[in-house]
Amino acid sequence: MTQTTTATRLAPHPDRLLPADPGARQVARTVYDAVKDAPIISPHGHVDAALIASDQPFSDPASLLITPDHYVLRLLHANGVDLAALGRADLSGTHAAPPGRAIWRNLADHWDDFLGTPVRYWFETELHDVFGLTEQPSAANADAQYDHIAGLLASPAFRPRALFDTFGIEVLATTDGPADDLAAHAQLAADPTFTGRVVPTFRADAVFDPSRPDWRPVVASIGQASGIDTGTHAGLLAALRARRQYFIEHGATATDTGVLDAGSSPLSATSRERIHAEALRDPSSVSEADAAAYRHDMLYRWAEMSVEDGLVMQLHPGVIRNHHAPTLERFGPDTGHDLPAVGSFTTPLQPLLESFGTAPGFHLVLFTVDETVFSREIGPLAGFYPAVYAGAPWWFIDTPAAIGRYRSAITDSASFTKTSGFIDDTRAYCSIPARHDMARRADAAYLASLVVTHELSEEDAVRTAKRIVSDIPRATFKL
C-alpha cells in the first residue's frame, strides 16, 4: 500500500499536455483556447438517464467518484484493495458495504499508485475544477476532503441537472438494454425545465451469442417488450426491428455493439433458424462453431437494420469479457477485468462492407483496444468506405499519448472528418468535463505539431479543432 502522509498542492498546470517547445506550445494555446469552453457532445457513455431524470442529490463522494468508475476500481484492485472495500456489492454475502468515508480513505492511501495514468489526470482536474480542492488526496486530509465534497453534494448547485449545465453538456448519450422502457428518457424529453438533450443508445450484445448464459432470457425479454414471438430467428429479427424503432421514437441515433470479433459472414435462413432453435432448447448444446456463425450472421443483420432505419452502428470487438471468473461470480460484470484481445477488421468485415459499405446513410463507427489496427486497418477502411468512421481511442487507450498516436495513425488515411469526435465512455458523471478537456488539449498539441512543420496553417488548425468538438461528432452520430 502506498501511504501519502503529507499533502502536496493540487494545481493543474494551465499548459498541461501542450507541447514543450515554446513555439509549438503557443500555437497549441491558441488552438485550445478556441475550443476549451465549447459545449460537450458525448455520443457514447454509460451514465444512467434516471440519474438526471430524478435529479436527486448524490449520496456521498465515494459512490459518485469511485465505486461506479471501473478505471478507478481496476487500478485500486491491482494494488491490493478488495473490490468489496470499494463499495461493489459482494454477491457472496460475506462482506457488508463499507461506509463511503472508508472507501475514500482507500483512494487517498493509494493516490500515488495512479501517477502517470490518465485516471490521475482526470481525477486531478475533476477534484480541482469541479470540487475546488487545492491539495492532493492523502491519508492526512482524506476525511477533510471527504467532508468538503459531501457538503458540496448536499447543495442544489451539485444536483445532477445543475451539473449538466455547469459542465456545458449539450448532448449526452446513454447505453440502454433492448427491452428498456426508456421511461427516464421520456420524462426528460417531456420536462420543459430541462433544456439539455439526453438520448438513448440501443445495446443488445446478448442476442448476438447463443452460447451466453443470458441469451435466452434476453431474447425472451425482447419478445415481451415488442409483443413479437422470438421463438424463431425471423421473429427475433422482427422484434429487434420493432425495438430499434421504439428507441428511435425516444431520440436514439445509434446502437452500440461489443462482440468478441468482427466476423460478419451471413448465414442462410435455414442455418440461422436451426441454430436459434437449438439454442432455445439447450444453449449448452450449441457448438463453438455454430455460436460463432450465429454471431457473425447477427452482425451482418445488424448492419442491414442500420441501413434500413438509419441508426449509427458502433462496433467494438476484441475485448475478452470477465477474464477472472472468481471476480465475476463474487462482484458481477463491469468490475475491471475485461481485457484487450488482438484486433482485426479488414478481413472479418469484408462480407458486411461488400453489402453495405457504400450504402447511403449507413454509418459504422469502429472502435478498438488494439491500437496497432488504427494505421493498418481502421484508417484505410475509413479512407475508402463512405460508411466507415474511425472511433476515438477508447477504454485502455483513451490517454493523452494514445490520442496523439491515433491522430498520427488515422489522419494520413482518413483525415479528421471520418472520425468520431472524443468518446468519454464513462459511468463517472463528474469526470466528463475532465475527460473532454484532456482530449481537447491532446488534439491541440497534435494540430500545433502540424502547424509548426508548415503542414497546416494556424487558421486551419483552429477551424479543425472546432470541428472535432462540434460538427464532426454531430455528423458521425447524426446528432
Side-chain angles (χ1 to χ4, degrees), residues 140-205:
N141 66 23
D143 284 353
Q145 290 195 339
Y146 181 89
D147 290 337
H148 171 80
I149 296 173
L152 293 176
L153 295 181
S155 69
F158 282 79
R159 300 265 286 262
R161 294 195 189 187
L163 288 175
F164 195 99
D165 294 335
T166 300
F167 295 162
I169 299 173
E170 182 174 312
V171 182
L172 178 68
T174 63
T175 302
D176 309 271
D180 198 307
D181 66 7
L182 304 182
H185 289 89
Q187 179 183 339
L188 287 169
D191 187 344
T193 67
F194 180 68
T195 57
R197 185 178 175 193
V198 179
V199 299
T201 301
F202 193 80
R203 181 80 178 258
D205 291 1

Side-chain angles (χ1 to χ4, degrees), residues 4 22-23 101 152 155 185 202 229 277 299 329 364 375 404 432 455:
T4 305
R101 187 179 300 276
L152 293 176
S155 69
H185 289 89
F202 193 80
D229 182 5
L299 199 64
E329 292 168 4
L364 173 63
S375 60
I432 290 174
E455 298 173 74

